[in-house]
Amino acid sequence: MTITLNQPVTTSTVLPLPARFQASYTTRLVAEGVEKRASDFWLETAGTPKAGDVVIARVTQINNHKRVETPESRKAILFEGALVMLAYGNRYAADQFLAHVPEDLGPCHLVAAGGIAGTVTALHDRMDEPTEIEPLGLLTDANGTVNVRDFAAHQNPLNVEAKPNRPQVIAVLGTSMNSGKSTTLACLVNGLDAAGHKVAAGKITGTGAGNDRMIYHDAGAHSVIDFTDFGYPTTFKLNFAEIRALSINMINVLADTGADTVIVEIADGIYQGETSRLLRDQLFQHSIDHVVFSAVDALGAKAGVSELQAAGLHVAAASGVMTASPLATAEATEVLNVPVIPTYDLTNPATVTAVLATAQKSHA
């Protein structure tokens, strides 16, 4: 891939906030603040952005991403010349892009439809080149550059402990991106809701997008949050202390909603750097009762379940994309020591409660 970008602006000037721009999902909480007091904000045309810093950018070349997700999770069509409010962020997506926060406000890319600005350094062979953007300036107020963490709905203190009397907590993990984790979680929510449970759901790690939280909501979760509510546009390259705290804080926030079951999703595969370390963390393990594992095929299911069990986690069941294939499901059933449940069977209240009841007994 060869991407040629123009030279950055190095001398900062002040620009008024544009009268019209499209806010994105990751900047939705900032956009609410700007809408209430637009006169308190302006743009600085030069600087060194950090992850989470908010930028207004012009779309200059539409390639892979042809839409941007709005605060309401609508997919707004992009036109060249359109102005969008994005957050700088690092992205790790094995099926799409590897991207990083650039060192300046020069031209860069829209690296995720949820509203992430960054510089793509590697992409999957099946992906088109990234959509190009030209930053106009960093959103600024009297306190300096605006970061999405300034408007976070929840804080992420690093000194955390698991609640002593928390509800049941289930983590959904998988072999990789697109292994069926979000669908598995939604089906778990739907089945437990039908069984009379009050379920809260959250996504701990990943790249900011409203798709997953909307699926959880549609499935019947009474409370839904994700890492963007804590002020993180993405979680890739966060230091481990923040990832660890984010995991526990999110579980605690969901537990405080009155839920009797909390289900959380962890993005990408279990070999992704932050995830691999998190799974072996004692505090995280103490905060999770069961794992439901999503896999693409039987081999991945076998390797993943074995890896999780070796790390000390209790796996209640395997599901995911592989269960769309009766042959792959049969193969996995032969080699796994946990139940293999077709994803949409988890919406059956009798099935999901039986799986978790069996898991409770075996874990006791």
Side-chain angles (χ1 to χ4, degrees), residues 130-131 134 168 306:
T131 290
E134 178 186 19
Q168 171 181 237
S306 298

Side-chain angles (χ1 to χ4, degrees), residues 3-10 15 18 21 43-46 49 54-63 78-86 88 102 104-111 116-119 130-139:
I3 299 176
T4 302
L5 298 172
N6 297 326
Q7 293 300 309
V9 174
T10 56
L15 296 177
F21 55 84
L43 301 181
E44 294 281 353
T45 63
V54 178
V55 63
I56 303 291
R58 178 182 291 110
V59 178
T60 55
Q61 178 67 51
I62 297 171
N63 293 315
L78 290 173
F79 290 88
E80 289 188 9
L83 301 184
V84 288
M85 176 189 278
L86 311 171
Y88 281 104
D104 53 50
L105 296 189
C108 57
H109 306 114
L110 175 63
V111 303
I116 306 299
T119 299
T131 290
E132 297 179 13
I133 58 175
E134 178 186 19
L136 300 187
L138 292 169
L139 186 68

Side-chain angles (χ1 to χ4, degrees), residues 87-363:
Y88 281 104
N90 302 297
R91 187 174 192 199
Y92 180 104
D95 287 359
Q96 294 190 22
F97 295 137
L98 175 65
H100 306 279
V101 176
E103 296 180 353
D104 53 50
L105 296 189
C108 57
H109 306 114
L110 175 63
V111 303
I116 306 299
T119 299
V120 171
T121 57
L123 54 83
H124 194 285
D125 285 350
R126 292 196 298 268
M127 296 298 292
D128 291 335
E129 291 192 357
T131 290
E132 297 179 13
I133 58 175
E134 178 186 19
L136 300 187
L138 292 169
L139 186 68
T140 307
D141 64 10
N143 296 314
T145 300
V146 174
N147 191 284
V148 290
R149 293 188 72 172
D150 300 332
F151 289 81
H154 302 285
Q155 299 304 305
N156 188 36
L158 300 185
N159 185 20
V160 291
E161 294 182 0
K163 287 184 174 294
N165 298 310
R166 60 171 173 76
Q168 171 181 237
V169 179
I170 303 166
V172 176
L173 295 109
T175 50
S176 62
M177 183 180 181
N178 296 326
S179 60
K181 297 182 296 297
S182 297
T183 304
T184 296
L185 190 152
C187 289
L188 281 167
V189 167
N190 189 254
L192 288 169
D193 177 65
H197 289 248
K198 192 172 185 181
V199 187
K203 187 166 184 178
I204 293 176
T205 62
T207 300
N211 297 353
D212 292 336
R213 71 184 296 156
M214 296 306 295
I215 293 171
Y216 306 163
H217 172 79
D218 293 346
H222 86 98
S223 181
V224 177
I225 57 176
D226 66 20
F227 51 87
T228 66
D229 292 299
F230 288 80
Y232 298 102
T234 73
T235 56
F236 178 45
K237 298 181 77 172
L238 282 184
N239 66 65
F240 181 70
E242 286 185 279
I243 290 283
R244 181 176 185 261
L246 178 61
S247 304
I248 308 307
N249 284 322
M250 185 177 295
I251 291 170
N252 290 345
V253 168
L254 291 169
D256 284 341
T257 63
D260 54 49
T261 302
V262 170
I263 311 179
V264 292
E265 178 185 347
I266 298 177
D268 302 306
I270 59 176
Y271 287 145
Q272 196 270 354
E274 291 93 350
T275 301
S276 178
R277 186 173 177 187
L278 182 64
L279 299 180
R280 288 162 176 77
D281 180 75
Q282 187 174 5
L283 180 57
F284 177 79
Q285 291 189 356
H286 183 64
S287 302
I288 300 294
D289 295 302
H290 310 296
V291 171
V292 175
F293 189 70
S294 294
V296 175
D297 55 28
L299 179 61
K302 173 64 174 177
V305 169
S306 298
E307 184 80 6
L308 292 170
Q309 291 173 336
L313 289 160
H314 181 259
V315 182
S319 190
V321 170
M322 71 172 175
T323 63
S325 164
L327 295 178
T329 301
E331 290 175 1
T333 301
E334 285 291 320
V335 298
L336 292 182
N337 58 3
V338 302
V340 179
I341 311 295
T343 306
Y344 287 94
D345 285 7
L346 293 169
T347 63
N348 184 314
T351 298
V352 72
T353 52
V355 168
L356 293 178
T358 301
Q360 291 281 17
K361 289 178 182 178
S362 64
H363 192 45

